[in-house]
Every structure is written in C-alpha cells, then in structure tokens.
Amino acid sequence: MTDPNNPQQPGAGEPYGQGQPYQGGQPFGANQPYGGGQRYPQQPYAGQGYPPPQPPKKRKIWPWILLAVVIVIIAFVGGCVALIGGAAESIDNESNRTVTVTYEVTGEGQASSVTYTTNDVNVSQDTNAALPWTKDVQISGLGKFVSLTATNDFDASGSITCTIKQGEKVISTNTSSGPAATASCSGTAD
C-alpha cells in the first residue's frame, strides 16, 4: 500500500493515474496478451479538433444527360408541331382560295352534252348546248381539279374542241371529229 505522506513514492498525494511517468523497461502493454508492445502512431488532424477534410463529392452526370435528352425531345416535338401548324395553315389557305376558270367548247351546230367540274369538284352538265359555248366557273378546294367533256351531236359530222383556260393561260385543250365524238380536257388550276 502507498503512503500518501511520502513524497518519494510515486503518485503520493495525487489523484490516481497522475503520478510520475512510468519508468519501467518495457512500454505499457508489453506484458498484455493483446497489445504485443506495439504502440499505434497518432494521426494528426489537419485542424484543431476537426476531422480531416473530405475530398469534394463528384457530381452525378446522369441528371444532366437526362435533362439534355428531355430538352432535345421537347425541341423536336415543338418543331414538328410548328411544321404541322404551318402546313395546316397553308392547306387551309389553299383550300379557301378561289380561282376563276373559263370552259369553252367550239364546233359546228350544237353539242349533245357538255359536262364540267364546278366548285369543290362537283359536276354539272348542259345538254343540247349551242356552239360556241363558254362558261366561267369559280373553283376552290385543295386540288383545284378542272375537267370538261363535250360530245358532238349524233347528226354532226364536223369536229368538236374543248378548252379550259385560267385567264390567258390554257390549262388543257382537245379536239375530236365525227358524229357523237367526244373531246375531253382536264387539269389543275393554279
């Protein structure tokens, strides 16, 4: 047992564990079965009492790639919508645009029938038409398809000619000869 009044004795008058340093021949823990006498070196911290700084975290790249893909898709869809919208507007404008065409049938006597297209590709017919025969028709719609068919009378021996004009421009013309001969013209107005 230690004597608290003896100053020569280690640890006298001091709390437990704060006496003089160990002066034995072996380091602390040398006789311990698990220590093996090895001391582990202390790793100094970079700051005072703070853990060492961590390297900055790498940012994930996949959200940026996903964002770029979404932007490309939106731009593509937007471009398609604009293209379709522009095409739809162009189609609407063309279908509402009206042009005037002139149908003409020439020959001798009369034609037994004259058949022609009108607005929106409807068909009209005049029978026993006196020649020369002329008709101005308003054409609208997408294709602006025009056609004219004229048939000679059964008694006629001469020729019959059909002509379709838009202004001074001739779209189509055709001639046929003989009794009940048929001349057909067709085309597209501008």
Side-chain angles (χ1 to χ4, degrees):
M1 191 173 246
T2 60
D3 181 10
N5 294 332
N6 183 358
Q8 298 296 324
Q9 189 176 3
E14 293 182 22
Y16 177 75
Q18 293 190 5
Q20 293 179 353
Y22 174 74
Q23 296 177 1
Q26 294 181 346
F28 178 74
N31 294 330
Q32 302 293 326
Y34 295 111
Q38 295 178 1
R39 290 192 175 180
Y40 296 101
Q42 283 266 338
Q43 297 285 333
Y45 289 127
Q48 295 181 349
Y50 296 104
Q54 298 294 324
K57 290 185 179 181
K58 291 185 177 182
R59 293 186 177 200
K60 295 180 179 177
I61 195 166
W62 69 266
W64 295 105
I65 293 173
L66 182 62
L67 178 65
V69 168
V70 168
I71 289 172
V72 167
I73 289 172
I74 289 172
F76 179 74
V77 169
C80 288
V81 167
L83 182 65
I84 290 170
E89 182 180 351
S90 177
I91 289 170
D92 186 49
N93 290 343
E94 180 61 25
S95 67
N96 291 329
R97 187 174 65 91
T98 302
V99 296
T100 301
V101 295
T102 303
Y103 295 127
E104 295 177 352
V105 178
T106 58
E108 299 173 8
Q110 65 181 18
S112 64
S113 68
V114 177
T115 307
Y116 55 95
T117 55
T118 61
N119 198 14
D120 294 326
V121 195
N122 292 320
V123 177
S124 274
Q125 185 175 44
D126 288 352
T127 56
N128 298 321
L131 299 180
W133 176 92
T134 303
K135 187 133 192 142
D136 289 334
V137 178
Q138 298 290 318
I139 303 292
S140 65
L142 280 179
K144 297 192 181 27
F145 177 75
V146 291
S147 71
L148 173 64
T149 303
T151 304
N152 229 352
D153 198 15
F154 290 102
D155 303 351
S157 60
S159 63
I160 190 165
T161 302
C162 66
T163 305
I164 304 172
K165 293 182 181 178
Q166 183 178 2
E168 293 300 314
K169 176 187 170 189
V170 175
I171 295 172
S172 178
T173 188
N174 189 12
T175 301
S176 187
S177 298
T182 300
S184 295
C185 302
S186 63
T188 304
D190 291 334

